[in-house]
Amino acid sequence: MKENVLNRMTLRFPGLPDNERFARLAVSGFIAPLDPAVDELGEIKTAVSEAVTNCIVHAYRGTVGEITLTVRLLEDSRVYISVKDKGCGIPDIAKAREPMFTTAPEEERAGLGFAIMESFTDRLRVTSRPGSGTTVTMLRTLRRGRQTNGG
Amino acid sequence: MPVAIFYDAESRTVLAELSGDIDHCSAASLRAPVDEEVMKRLPLRLMLDFENVPFMDSSGIGLIIGRSKLITDLGGSLIVVNPKPEVRRIMELAGVGRLCSIVFNEHRTLIGGMKI
Ligand SMILES: Nc1ncnc2c1ncn2[C@@H]1O[C@H](COP(=O)(O)OP(=O)(O)OP(=O)(O)O)[C@@H](O)[C@H]1O
Ligand SMILES: [Mg+2]
């Protein structure tokens, strides 16, 4: 199905911890014209933070690699977000998505990132190939009616 | 300064006032000073104040779980204070309430000289 994209942006940045905050702020700035409610904005920022952090702590463990963040604003106040890395990949996606599953318990990871992304978005898709990377895409519809150009 | 730490000898309580976003980037710098104070004082209670935390993700959940383990191993308990609605939402999702009590006090009073 061909989607009508009203606005879009792509950011490429190295997987440095400082960029976790940057990614959250970039997404919240970009979707601001849709006038999301406070709770919606908080949830979207959290989902983005989870996806970007996973690239930094898991995909590029011990190294710093490139992260690509894409946001598209679709019709009917829908926000599409994709976070892509070229890191180690996930061997068993179903297992990785289970709540409390983590491969880094010694780093005080709760294994809740995917569970949070799932509950804070309407759709979460994870595609991954070991050795070549992972892409996480999320779709979230905002409660507000139709978006206008900021007004 | 992302964390201010106080100790009340009378109630044997360590209070850590956290501030700013809690994510993977900031978690380590919050963890170290809190753990240091806990190991020095061996308190009965560790209070983590979230009043000035506008954002938290799963790294904050990891931080809470880790502090809960630490204080529980020492025979003490963890109390989470004043999380904002967005932060509370993620705490509820993670079931943090099973590990510690979450308390809200709008009007801070003075307990043993400590701002609580
Ligand atoms: N981009 C990625 N590249 C490689 N592995 C990943 C990636 N994202 C997630 N994983 C794997 O999936 C597991 C689960 O991820 P999830 O975000 O749910 O939990 P976590 O990151 O381990 O802990 P938390 O997010 O609670 O700090 C991770 O432990 C890791 O093994
Ligand atoms: Mg994670």
Side-chain angles (χ1 to χ4, degrees), chain A residues 50 54-55 58-59 85 88-90 96 101-103 109-114 134, chain B residues 58:
Chain A
E50 296 299 342
N54 278 351
C55 302
H58 302 298
D85 67 66
C88 66
I90 303 174
F101 175 84
T102 181
T103 49
R109 308 240 65 92
L112 291 175
F114 280 132
T134 301
Chain B
S58 67

Side-chain angles (χ1 to χ4, degrees), chain A residues 2-16:
Chain A
K2 189 108 171 52
E3 284 275 7
N4 193 8
V5 179
L6 303 178
N7 198 0
R8 63 188 152 78
M9 68 113 168
T10 298
L11 289 173
R12 270 186 217 96
F13 52 87
L16 299 168

Side-chain angles (χ1 to χ4, degrees), chain A residues 34-43 142-144:
Chain A
L34 295 183
D35 201 16
V38 176
D39 62 323
E40 292 173 319
L41 190 59
E43 293 182 0
L142 302 178
R143 280 194 299 275
R144 294 273 167 130

